[in-house]
Amino acid sequence: VSIPANFIYFHSFSFPRNLSDQQIEEAMKLNLRFSLPLSQDAVYVDWETVQSQDTAKKEVVLCSAPKNYIDQYLTALSKAGVTTVALEFHALSISRVLALEPDSSAMIAIFSNNDLEIAIVESGALRFLQSFNIDKIIEAGEMNIEMDIVIDKLWRAMNFYDSEKGQKGSINKLYLTGDYGKIRDYKEIIGKKIEGLSVDFASILPIFPEMPLAKDSNLPQITFGASLRGLMPREEDAII
């Protein structure tokens, strides 16, 4: 099952390469006491070790979601006769099927209704995730022009990731997906507003068939991405 990232908390951690799996697990359990936005009893939580470009480090990504939010999905699916074997968020599903350059870093902006999900993928693994509702930002009086909000959130995500990596310009590619009416207008504007960022529409890997009826949405990417995970033997699925 793949759901929007509205209530998903995502964080990455770096550890020395010489730490054992057991030591990392103990460190992550300790981190749970301080890192989660809600009490551990109130959330579903998982973490995954991902490939690092830094040979001196091991990287772990953590994800949590409120139980009361997730349980609504699980209850509805159960009533419909669907057995849920894994649940993830849209950005993770989409990143699995996009035609991205291997061993590179890229940012993905997912537009769905008035929600914006920003994800950063490095070497095939998700490293950063944030989700925003543009209407709520406007209602809160933080900013009042949608394009300014999008530019600001993308720029902040890039700068945060640069600071985490300790180098400027670690992200130079942005892929847009979702509401085609929006991303068509945003493509050229974002490229002009954010220096050094190449902007393009996200394309799905050519092994998947075309879905003309869904060409103006990210539905094919979400569907195929979640389906690929569903094909994995359960005992081999260690994905968050």
Side-chain angles (χ1 to χ4, degrees), residues 207-218:
I207 61 172
F208 296 104
E210 290 288 334
M211 292 181 67
L213 294 178
K215 65 181 180 180
D216 291 347
S217 77
N218 53 26

Side-chain angles (χ1 to χ4, degrees), residues 144-208:
N144 56 18
I145 299 176
E146 182 173 326
M147 175 55 71
D148 290 345
I149 294 170
V150 172
I151 297 294
D152 178 70
K153 296 304 182 184
L154 292 173
W155 182 85
R156 288 178 183 273
M158 289 176 61
N159 278 271
F160 173 81
Y161 197 70
D162 280 351
S163 67
E164 290 287 294
K165 299 290 291 183
Q167 64 182 52
K168 188 172 177 60
S170 55
I171 300 294
N172 56 26
K173 188 71 177 180
L174 169 66
Y175 294 98
L176 305 176
T177 185
D179 184 338
Y180 184 71
K182 287 187 177 182
I183 65 175
R184 178 186 55 204
D185 297 333
Y186 287 168
K187 181 177 180 292
E188 184 176 350
I189 297 173
I190 293 172
K192 290 180 178 179
K193 292 283 187 177
I194 302 181
E195 185 178 355
L197 187 66
S198 173
V199 185
D200 204 351
F201 300 130
S203 59
I204 199 167
L205 290 167
I207 61 172
F208 296 104

Side-chain angles (χ1 to χ4, degrees), residues 8-9 11 44 47 49 73 81 100-101 107 160 180 182 191 233:
I8 301 294
Y9 172 77
H11 192 75
Y44 293 110
W47 63 82
T49 301
Y73 283 96
L100 304 177
E101 296 179 12
M107 185 159 56
F160 173 81
Y180 184 71
K182 287 187 177 182

